[in-house]
């Protein structure tokens, strides 16, 4: 029993989570109990837990993870201000007359919301409340409609900016550095969130294309399952489409463009996104809308001008033109601040900000509590010899590096039936990824292929989170069986996406290599 205590510990964790206890407390509780068992049986040196305080300090001082609450706030503001609803309504009326047109609009909106919010739960619930009833009224098969809504909502996990990618970048960077230390290198390289954002962009768009092709083909082969609807008199004109689509696209460009262009770190870009979402939410109210738009224009002009003509006012040899430009930048900053404070007042008056901050606090606390608990769990697991067991096991699997990765992918896929992506990312991946990197796998490619696999965990019955989100928001005529059966074809498309990235690694490695 003593030599298998690490395996028993992992099995106990899954059992406790399935019993319904809060995840963070389950992870930490199992870790404490098995630390005591290991110490009592002489299988573990209890002083190893002294390193937990270092892990706590490392977490709260991690500059990368600060981006998480800012990106969550950005998404919560867009969701609470009903910008997602306007997008869905406009795109639905634009494509609704086609067979499968409503499904196309839901996937396109899901991709836009993924790139501007990254919050799966909010996106699935919003589309479940707005798009799903419309699709059912149009005569869509409940299974097809449910599958489309669930899948489009999970795009927020793979299309940057994504909470999954931020956590995964931190995990993979630590694993890469650990692998380099084990190879005897002391001048180690680190991986950035920007590299993972760039790497995930093309695979994310490939998945969107796969979904669109599937919906178009199914609408053509079985038109009775996805009929077109009459939009005469309700079709949006060009101005309406542009007014609904351009603000989220500008926000996406500001956030991803600043990261991929090397202008800002992910944390700085997340703050840009949060301010942009605040301005968009504030401009929804007619009160002082023009002032907010002028403030937004001032900030955009400031960002462009400062990027093209940087000014250092503290220099002793500053010229008169540079001084004048600096004065202009100060004026633009004041104009932008007036717009931001006006938007803040509007969102506080309509209580949009209250709901957004509450959602941000809840989700951020859940994520960081889980990461902290996972730090305790991994310490105990390592103390019980689990890390050496996994490294030995992966190194001796048939098929070498390919066989080890294939088995890891299957394990991660099946764990997705029971665990959330956060638990898998911070508990399982730190244990296996250093060994996989040592076996020769590119860390960025490895991270993206695991990310697509983890995205599937939101869709896999019986515990896929997207399925539960939709179950809570769906009309009564949509049963749990409809939802489960509806996502099965899309799980197959996810597997196809993994295969494409597996056999064509350039899909994930070309863009980060070109930019960074």
């Amino acid at each position: 029993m003593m030599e298998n205590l690490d395996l028993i510990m992992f099995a106990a964790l899954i059992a406790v989570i399935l019993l319904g206890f809060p995840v963070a407390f389950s992870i930490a509780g199992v870790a404490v109990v098995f630390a005591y068992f290991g110490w009592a049986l002489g299988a573990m040196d209890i002083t190893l837990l002294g390193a937990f305080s270092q892990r706590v300090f490392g977490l709260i001082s991690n500059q990368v993870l600060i981006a998480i609450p800012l990106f969550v706030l950005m998404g919560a503001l867009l969701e609470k201000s009903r910008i997602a609803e306007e997008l869905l309504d406009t795109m639905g009326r634009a494509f609704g007359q086609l067979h499968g047109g409503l499904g196309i609009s839901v996937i396109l909106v899901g991709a836009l919301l993924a790139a501007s919010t990254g919050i799966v739960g909010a996106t699935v619930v919003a589309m479940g409340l707005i798009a799903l009833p419309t699709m059912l009224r149009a005569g869509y098969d409940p299974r097809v409609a449910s599958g489309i809504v669930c899948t489009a909502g999970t795009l927020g996990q793979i299309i940057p900016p994504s909470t999954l990618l931020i956590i995964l970048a931190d995990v993979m960077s630590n694993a890469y550095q650990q692998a380099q230390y084990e190879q005897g290198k002391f001048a180690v390289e680190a991986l950035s969130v920007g590299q993972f954002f760039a790497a995930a962009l093309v695979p994310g768009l490939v998945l969107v294309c796969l979904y669109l092709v599937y919906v178009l083909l199914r609408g053509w082969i079985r038109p009775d399952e996805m009929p077109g609807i009459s939009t005469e008199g309700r079709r949006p004109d060009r101005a309406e489409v542009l007014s609904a689509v351009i603000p989220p696209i500008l926000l996406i460009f500001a956030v991803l463009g600043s990261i991929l262009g090397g202008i800002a770190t992910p944390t700085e870009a997340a703050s840009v996104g949060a301010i942009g979402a605040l301005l968009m939410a504030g401009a929804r109210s007619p009160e002082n809308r023009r002032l907010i738009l002028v403030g937004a224009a001032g900030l955009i002009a400031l960002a462009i001008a400062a990027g093209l003509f940087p000014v250092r006012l503290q220099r002793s040899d500053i010229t008169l033109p540079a001084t004048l430009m600096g004065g202009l930048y100060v004026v633009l900053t004041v104009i932008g601040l007036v717009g931001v404070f006006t938007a803040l007042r509007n969102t506080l008056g309509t209580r949009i900000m209250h709901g957004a901050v509450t959602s941000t606090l809840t989700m951020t606390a859940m994520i960081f509590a889980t990461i902290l608990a996972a730090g305790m769990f991994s310490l105990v697991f390592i103390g019980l010899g689990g890390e050496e067991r996994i490294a030995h096991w992966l190194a001796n699997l048939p098929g070498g590096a390919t066989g080890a990765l294939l088995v890891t992918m299957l394990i991660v896929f099946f764990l997705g039936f029971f665990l959330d992506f956060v638990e898998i990312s911070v508990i399982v991946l730190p244990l296996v990824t250093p060994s996989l990197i040592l076996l020769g796998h590119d860390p960025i490619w490895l991270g993206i292929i695991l990310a697509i696999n983890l995205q599937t965990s939101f869709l896999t019955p019986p515990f896929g989170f997207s399925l539960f989100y939709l179950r809570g928001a769906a009309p009564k005529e949509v049963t749990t069986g409809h939802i489960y059966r509806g996502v099965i074809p899309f799980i197959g498309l996810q597997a196809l996406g993994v295969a494409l990235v597996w056999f064509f690694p350039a899909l994930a490695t070309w863009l980060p290599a070109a930019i960074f």
Side-chain angles (χ1 to χ4, degrees), residues 66-257:
I66 295 174
I68 290 178
L70 292 169
F71 277 129
V72 173
L73 177 61
M74 180 179 80
L77 282 169
L78 293 179
E79 187 251 331
K80 300 295 181 184
S81 59
R82 308 176 80 86
I83 291 173
E85 291 187 23
E86 183 179 314
L87 257 178
L88 278 168
D89 178 66
T90 304
M91 299 294 282
R93 289 186 286 124
F95 293 98
Q97 74 277 10
L98 300 173
H99 286 292
L102 283 177
I104 292 170
S105 68
V106 168
I107 291 170
L108 290 175
V109 171
L112 278 174
L113 293 179
S116 54
T117 68
I119 303 177
V120 169
T123 306
V124 172
V125 169
M127 291 198 283
L129 291 172
I130 308 157
L132 189 56
T134 304
M135 296 168 83
L136 295 176
R137 285 196 300 269
Y140 272 58
D141 186 295
R143 296 169 300 173
V144 177
S146 301
I148 291 173
V149 169
C150 273
T151 307
T154 60
L155 285 170
Q157 291 300 84
I158 189 63
I159 296 180
S162 156
T163 303
L164 167 61
L165 291 176
I166 296 171
I167 296 173
L168 197 62
D170 187 60
V171 169
M172 293 303 298
S173 182
N174 292 335
Y176 185 42
Q177 292 177 58
Q178 181 180 338
Q180 290 175 89
Y181 281 129
E182 293 186 20
Q183 290 172 333
K185 299 177 183 178
F186 295 99
V188 297
E189 299 176 22
L191 302 174
S192 69
V193 174
Q195 288 174 281
F196 281 88
F197 278 8
L201 201 54
V202 175
L205 295 177
V206 167
L207 283 177
V208 172
C209 292
L210 288 175
Y211 300 157
L212 290 174
V213 169
Y214 170 76
V215 170
L216 284 170
L217 287 176
R218 185 157 183 168
W220 178 59
I221 296 171
R222 298 181 179 177
D224 55 309
E225 291 185 349
M226 291 188 282
I229 60 174
S230 174
T231 57
E232 290 301 323
R234 297 180 58 250
R235 293 195 65 180
D237 56 23
R238 183 177 299 177
E240 191 177 352
V241 172
L242 291 177
S243 66
V245 172
I246 284 181
I249 289 179
L250 285 176
L251 188 63
I252 294 165
F253 181 78
V255 174
L256 292 184

Side-chain angles (χ1 to χ4, degrees), residues 353-425:
M353 181 58 74
H354 297 71
V357 170
T358 301
S359 298
T360 302
L361 181 62
T362 303
M363 186 169 292
T364 303
M366 179 201 75
I367 291 172
F368 278 83
T370 303
I371 295 174
L372 274 176
M376 171 71 80
F377 184 92
S378 63
L379 273 176
V380 178
F381 191 77
I382 291 169
L384 294 174
E387 189 176 42
E388 291 84 356
R389 181 193 295 271
I390 289 175
H392 175 77
W393 177 60
L394 288 175
N396 290 279
L397 282 172
T402 302
L405 179 56
L406 184 61
V407 170
T408 302
M409 292 289 286
L410 290 173
I411 291 173
V412 169
F413 177 76
F414 284 111
L415 285 176
F417 283 65
F418 311 102
L419 302 178
D420 184 15
F421 78 93
V422 178
E423 293 100 76
I424 298 174
S425 298

Side-chain angles (χ1 to χ4, degrees), residues 416-507:
F417 283 65
F418 311 102
L419 302 178
D420 184 15
F421 78 93
V422 178
E423 293 100 76
I424 298 174
S425 298
V426 297
I427 298 174
V428 181
L429 296 189
L431 300 173
V432 298
T433 48
S435 298
L436 292 173
I437 293 171
L438 284 171
L439 289 172
H441 293 295
D442 181 273
I444 293 178
W445 173 80
L446 177 63
I448 298 306
I449 206 168
L450 286 168
I452 301 174
N453 199 354
L454 285 170
Q455 181 195 353
T456 313
S457 70
F458 271 78
L459 294 174
T460 46
F463 301 107
F465 277 67
S466 287
L467 311 181
F468 285 125
Y469 293 142
L470 185 61
R471 176 64 276 168
K476 291 182 179 179
E477 60 265 30
V478 176
T479 66
T480 303
H482 286 147
I483 297 173
Y484 282 4
R485 289 195 296 272
V487 297
I488 290 174
F490 292 97
I491 294 174
L493 292 175
Q494 289 283 131
L496 178 58
V498 170
L500 288 173
V501 178
W502 186 300
F503 292 110
F504 302 100
L507 289 173

